[in-house]
Amino acid sequence: MRVSSRAAVLVAVFVVGACGKGGSTGQAGFVLAGGVPKVGQKTESVEQSRSPEMKLTFTVPGKTVPGSMSLDLDSLSESEVLAVQDGRVTKYRLLAKRDSTRTTMRVPGASDEPTVTEDPLSGLPIVAEWTNGKWTRRLEAGAPTAEQTEKLNEAWSDADMYTSKPIAVGESWAVEGAALQSLAGAECIGTTGEVTANLQSVGACGSDQCATITYSGKIACKMTIGGSVMDVKMSVTGNLQRSLQKFIDLRSNLRQVIEMTGDIPDTPGARMEISGVSESETTTSVK
């Protein structure tokens, strides 16, 4: 899932899946983590997120200003595997064909006209490369602006929530560490917490065999919004349908109950609080 600093809300993030052999079954269960994809594999994801009527409160010494905000995000992203080494993908080409957020803020004395913003990297091919034990991102061509550089330097991970050991129907496992980034969002720094995932069932989905997985838990992190360092806490619940032949999440739904608090820069004693619910859906296909 992805956090949008432009919109100040957590939304679902695109996570690239891997192609490999079909998931194995038997008494040991099903293999959910796939093999390494081939160079040239492309996936495309469509993501929509809605956060209606989030509570917004500004507090300054002696005064509290209540308000609300709503956010709608729509994105279409593409990923291509450029290099594979030692059993893992080491290079991707990423492209957000569209990535826009519609924000409406309602604060006494201010206009409530909606604002539509486009991600500064939208429409620009990005190269993500695994070097020296970490991911770095750069524009495929040209020099980035200061705003684009800030986005390129955000934390990025292709880790997912799946364990490599076979999982039986009804079995649960813990989602921890780097895998939490797929649920918290790239802009969440110092992500901690634990999410429990459960394999609900396995059945046919078109020509594939798919696993239905649910998950729930709590995550905490810090993120920067408009210069403010915010403490973020969220409860997450969701479900997804994962192909056991292609090893990608074909469809996922995520619900986040979010609380964010932080000081307002250059205003001693001033604080900002945001709370509410974000619901998102992502569909992914192999091109």
Side-chain angles (χ1 to χ4, degrees):
M1 320 345 262
R2 178 174 49 200
V3 180
S4 173
S5 58
R6 297 169 291 112
V9 69
L10 304 178
V11 298
V13 66
F14 166 57
V15 179
V16 178
C19 270
K21 297 185 298 180
S24 63
T25 183
Q27 289 186 346
F30 296 85
V31 176
L32 303 178
V36 181
K38 296 179 180 179
V39 172
Q41 176 187 293
K42 292 183 180 180
T43 56
E44 186 174 80
S45 289
V46 177
E47 175 189 313
Q48 291 185 321
S49 177
R50 302 291 178 260
S51 306
E53 296 302 323
M54 298 186 75
K55 183 179 179 181
L56 175 66
T57 304
F58 295 99
T59 302
V60 297
K63 186 178 181 180
T64 297
V65 181
S68 66
M69 63 188 298
S70 60
L71 302 114
D72 298 302
L73 180 141
D74 177 52
S75 72
L76 172 62
S77 303
E78 181 180 276
S79 174
E80 179 182 1
V81 176
L82 297 181
V84 175
Q85 184 177 352
D86 298 329
R88 69 163 298 152
V89 177
T90 56
K91 196 173 184 179
Y92 288 104
R93 181 180 187 268
L94 309 170
L95 175 63
K97 295 182 177 180
R98 67 172 184 267
D99 191 353
S100 62
T101 302
R102 181 185 178 92
T103 307
T104 304
M105 297 185 66
R106 303 174 186 84
V107 179
S111 171
D112 60 357
E113 287 296 316
T115 300
V116 178
T117 56
E118 190 76 14
D119 188 282
L121 299 177
S122 182
L124 298 174
I126 306 299
V127 175
E129 193 162 9
W130 179 260
T131 54
N132 299 320
K134 66 178 182 179
W135 285 101
T136 59
R137 293 188 299 166
R138 59 177 173 81
L139 292 182
E140 186 176 58
T145 65
E147 185 180 20
Q148 290 168 348
T149 297
E150 183 178 355
K151 293 291 293 184
L152 289 168
N153 289 337
E154 288 175 355
W156 189 84
S157 173
D158 65 345
D160 59 32
M161 68 171 69
Y162 305 106
T163 173
S164 59
K165 74 180 186 70
I167 299 294
V169 172
E171 185 177 354
S172 298
W173 68 97
V175 181
E176 302 173 296
L180 290 175
Q181 204 73 41
S182 67
L183 298 176
E187 293 170 356
C188 263
I189 305 302
T191 305
T192 60
E194 183 174 310
V195 171
T196 299
N198 180 271
L199 176 57
Q200 294 282 299
S201 63
V202 172
C205 56
S207 60
D208 286 358
Q209 186 180 41
C210 289
T212 298
I213 299 165
T214 61
Y215 54 89
S216 64
K218 296 182 181 297
I219 298 174
C221 65
K222 291 183 181 294
M223 64 178 289
T224 301
I225 301 173
S228 298
V229 178
M230 306 286 287
D231 291 311
V232 181
K233 295 180 180 180
M234 70 180 86
S235 298
V236 298
T237 56
N239 61 81
L240 57 88
Q241 189 178 59
R242 181 170 178 82
S243 168
L244 298 181
Q245 280 68 49
K246 299 182 178 71
F247 292 104
I248 64 171
D249 298 339
L250 300 176
R251 183 180 297 275
S252 64
N253 294 275
L254 172 71
R255 186 176 191 269
Q256 299 164 316
V257 180
I258 307 162
E259 294 182 0
M260 295 185 277
T261 59
D263 296 331
I264 299 176
D266 304 320
T267 310
R271 290 184 62 79
M272 175 172 57
E273 299 179 11
I274 303 171
S275 62
V277 175
S278 174
E279 295 185 333
S280 58
E281 180 179 29
T282 304
T283 58
T284 301
S285 60
V286 177
K287 298 185 64 178

